Amino acid sequence: MITPALFNFLRDLAANNDRTWFKAQKARYQAEVVEPVTEFIENMAPRVGMISPHIVVDPRPNGGSRFRIYRDTRFSKDKSPYKTQVGCQFRHSAGKDAHAPGFYVHLAPGEVFFGGGVWGPQGEALRAIRQRIVNKPERWQEATEKLDLRGDQLVRAPKGFDPQHPLIDDLRRKSFFSFQDADEALATSKPFEQAVEQQFRKVAPLMGFVADALGLEF
């Protein structure tokens, strides 16, 4: 079970984001972050499996559903070596990276949220989703009517799409993702897994719409 120790570790890491400190705290990181998050992922596997058999929930500590804590600093001015949040993505079996459709759980001090969709799809994938909205407007509205979609939008209509289209606000989206905000109290309580599952079920129609647009089963 996730406990307040996970968030305390992340707070300490934010204040001591260097390799020497992290190396000295490696056992603590393993006990307070890796092990409880691995258990959480294991417990989510049957819950997610009932929503879709095509979503991969992988509890392996390395190469699984939990994102690595090491930051890619090659193109960043911020050279801090470690992330100060824990992210878990349960992505579609056909997906190869973080831009694939999937469910996501985010754990950070003062910032807990979970949901699903597709974040930052590129090129043809993005165009395919927009075209599906044009082709299936009623289904899109049914899939998203109870959701608060998040993410950046283009200032103008995307190339090749009607600026006067009644769903132009959605066509301008760069991501198609909805999540529920929560807090550390929920994340460290027994009902957390159930709350995550409920939100995943709520966004499942959006996931299904995106999967159809990309020619995937859901």
Side-chain angles (χ1 to χ4, degrees), residues 155-212:
V155 175
R156 299 180 179 82
K159 185 178 180 181
F161 292 88
D162 180 6
Q164 303 303 316
H165 193 282
L167 295 175
I168 190 59
D169 286 346
D170 289 324
L171 295 173
R172 291 191 294 110
R173 295 186 182 281
K174 297 180 182 179
S175 295
F176 306 87
F177 202 95
S178 178
F179 57 79
Q180 175 183 330
D181 292 306
D183 55 25
E184 294 176 38
L186 177 61
T188 56
S189 69
K190 289 184 178 180
F192 182 56
E193 291 167 11
Q194 182 179 357
V196 173
E197 179 189 348
Q198 287 175 344
Q199 179 64 13
F200 285 2
R201 289 187 179 278
K202 185 177 178 180
V203 300
L206 169 62
M207 290 276 289
F209 185 95
V210 169
D212 281 351

Side-chain angles (χ1 to χ4, degrees), residues 25-166:
Q25 301 291 321
K26 199 68 178 288
R28 181 186 168 197
Y29 168 66
Q30 185 71 26
E32 298 176 358
V33 178
V34 175
E35 291 178 6
V37 173
T38 298
E39 180 185 2
F40 166 73
I41 295 171
E42 289 174 343
N43 292 344
M44 289 305 300
R47 294 176 180 269
V48 173
M50 289 188 292
I51 300 172
S52 170
H54 302 287
I55 300 297
V56 176
V57 181
D58 187 345
R60 288 179 300 161
N62 297 304
S65 295
R66 178 177 56 82
F67 284 122
R68 288 162 47 89
I69 197 167
Y70 306 101
R71 294 182 63 247
D72 183 354
T73 62
R74 290 173 298 171
F75 308 108
S76 175
K77 292 182 180 179
D78 179 3
K79 298 302 179 182
S80 302
Y82 305 106
K83 300 172 185 174
T84 55
Q85 78 277 353
V86 175
C88 302
Q89 188 190 34
F90 309 135
R91 72 179 60 135
H92 196 282
S93 58
K96 297 181 180 179
D97 58 29
H99 300 296
F103 298 117
Y104 180 72
V105 178
H106 183 96
L107 304 169
E111 187 180 49
V112 176
F113 60 85
F114 40 87
V118 59
W119 192 266
Q122 304 295 307
E124 287 302 314
L126 177 56
R127 182 173 181 80
I129 296 169
R130 288 170 171 162
Q131 190 60 53
R132 188 74 172 177
I133 293 173
V134 171
N135 294 344
K136 301 287 184 179
E138 292 181 359
R139 186 178 169 198
W140 169 255
Q141 290 173 307
E142 289 173 358
T144 60
E145 62 181 350
K146 297 180 181 179
L147 303 180
D148 177 18
L149 297 183
R150 310 286 184 97
D152 295 336
Q153 292 175 289
L154 296 173
V155 175
R156 299 180 179 82
K159 185 178 180 181
F161 292 88
D162 180 6
Q164 303 303 316
H165 193 282

